[in-house]
Amino acid sequence: MEYSKKVFDHFQKPKFAGELKDADAVGEEGNIKCGDVMKIYIKVKDNVITDIRFKTYGCIAAIAASDTLCELAKGRTLEEAEKLTYDDIIKALEKLPAIKVHCSVLGISALKDAIKNYRKSK
Amino acid sequence: MRFKTVYLDNGASTKVDHKVLEVMKPYFTEKYANASSSHTFAQEAKNALENSRKVIAKSINAKTEEIIFTSGGTEANNLTLKGIAFQNKEKGNHIITSKIDHSCVLESCKWLESQGFKVTYLDVDCEGFVNPNDLKKAITDKTILVSIIHGNNEIGTIQDLEILGKICREKGVLFHTDACQSYTKTEIDVKKQNVDLMTLNSHKIHGPKGVGALYIKEGIKITPWQHGGGHERGLRAGTENIHGIVGFAEAVKIANKSHVEKMTKLRDKLIEGALEIKDSRLNGPKDNRLCNNINISFKGVEGEALGGYLDSKNICSSAGSACSTKSLEPSHVLKAIGLTNEEANGSVRLTLSRFTTEEEIDYVLKVLPKVVKKLRGFSAIWKG
C-alpha cells in the first residue's frame, strides 16, 4: 500500500490517540468485519470542541485519518466541525489510496455521531 | 540493538545467496548464447541448462527429463491446471483443490469454471489440513486432477502428500502439488509421495526471481499454453532463462538439513515468545509446519497497522488482514481455518530464512509486545 509521508507521520506519532476520561460525548462508527472501528471522544465548552481524542481499531490509514480528524476538529465550534468532510482529511493527509478513502469517511461519521450525542445529552 | 533491516518476509521472497549470484554472472556476459542454437558456443548454455535440470530432478527424486523450466511458480501452476484440464477434457471435467491453495491455483480454477469445468474446493481443519476422507469422497469418475498445496504460504501447514497422493493413485486421478514454499524445507520425494506433477520455484530458496520448474511424471500428457519454438519438450516455448536456471540449481545445491534445523529452532523461539503476549493465538499447526513460518493473531489489533509499526522498527512482516489487501477481504486461508474476521484481521506473518539470526529474533521479541501494547492502548475494541 502506498501512503504519503503525512499518513505515516500521523500513524507513527498520533497526537490524539487514547481515551478522554472526562469526555462530554462519544461517537462511534464502523464494524469489526470491515476491519475498522473508530471512537471519537469530545470535550465541549461554549459550543467549542476544546479537547478531542480517538480510539481506533484499524489499518494505517484509519489511524492516520482519526488523528488528522482530531487535529482538524479541535478548537472549532460544533457547527464548524460538522461541516468537515472526508475531503478535508484527505487534503490534510496529502492523499489516500482510493480503497482507503472509506477510512476518512468513517472518521467524519464518528465525529458527527459524537456531536449528535453531545446535543442529545444537553 | 539496532538493525538496518530485519527481514522476516521470506515467504514472499528471499535474498539471493552470494554464491548463487557468482555462478550466474558468466551467463550474462560470457556464456550468453541461446541454448537452442546449433553452434559450438551455444553448447555451454545447453550444458548449463541440462546440468541444472539434473540437479533439480535429483533433489525431488525425479528423472531429468521429467523437469521443465518455467518463469516461476505461478506459471507452473497455471500450466498444470489449464494444461491438464484441456488435455483430459474428453475424460472428465472435474478438478479438486483446497480452500487454502495459492491464489494462482484458485484463480486458474475459477477461470476453468468459466470454461465449463467443475471445481471442488476442499475444506480444511482448524490447522489447515485436508482430511483424506474428504478427498476420497470428492473424487468422482469425472475427476481429472487433484491439486493441493504442499506447504501453505500463510500458515505453514504441510500436507501429507503420501496419503493424499495414494488416494489419487488408487482412483486413477492425477495429483499435483504446489511445493513453492516447502521445497528444500521439508522432505520431498515425488516417487514416495505419489506425486504426478509438482511446482517448484527459485526465489523462495535464495535463488533469483523469474525461474521455476514443473515436474511432470513420465508419460503424463499436458496441453501447452505457451506456443513457439518448441523449447522444454514443446511444453513451454520461450528462450530458456539460463542465468536464472543456473542460479536456481545452485540454490538447490546449497540448501541442506542444517538450515532447516536452524530455522526450526528460531521459529519455535519466536512462536513461544510471541505467544507470551496476552490474547494471542498461533494460526496453523504446531507440528508439520514449515520450518520458517510464524503466523499469529493478536486480539484488538489490526494486522496492517501492526505491520506498519514493526516496519517503523525496521522489521519486515506481512499481514493477512482485509486492510492489507486490494480487495479489502481478509485472507482466504485464515477464513478457511475458521478464524473470525477480527482474528484474521489481527494476524501477522513472519517468515524466516537461513540467514535469520538469533539476535534478530531476540530483537523482534523485544519490539513485538511494545507494538501490540501501543496499538491496543488506543484500539476501539480492546477491553483488556
Side-chain angles (χ1 to χ4, degrees), chain B residues 29 53 86 126 142 233 248 260 277 288 347:
Chain B
T29 53
R53 203 187 302 279
F86 276 78
C126 64
K142 295 274 183 220
R233 293 192 285 124
F248 182 16
V260 174
I277 297 171
N288 296 314
S347 77

Side-chain angles (χ1 to χ4, degrees), chain B residues 18-30:
Chain B
H18 285 290
K19 281 177 253 166
V20 168
L21 181 61
E22 285 310 311
V23 302
M24 289 173 70
K25 277 180 184 170
Y27 295 91
F28 287 97
T29 53
E30 292 159 36

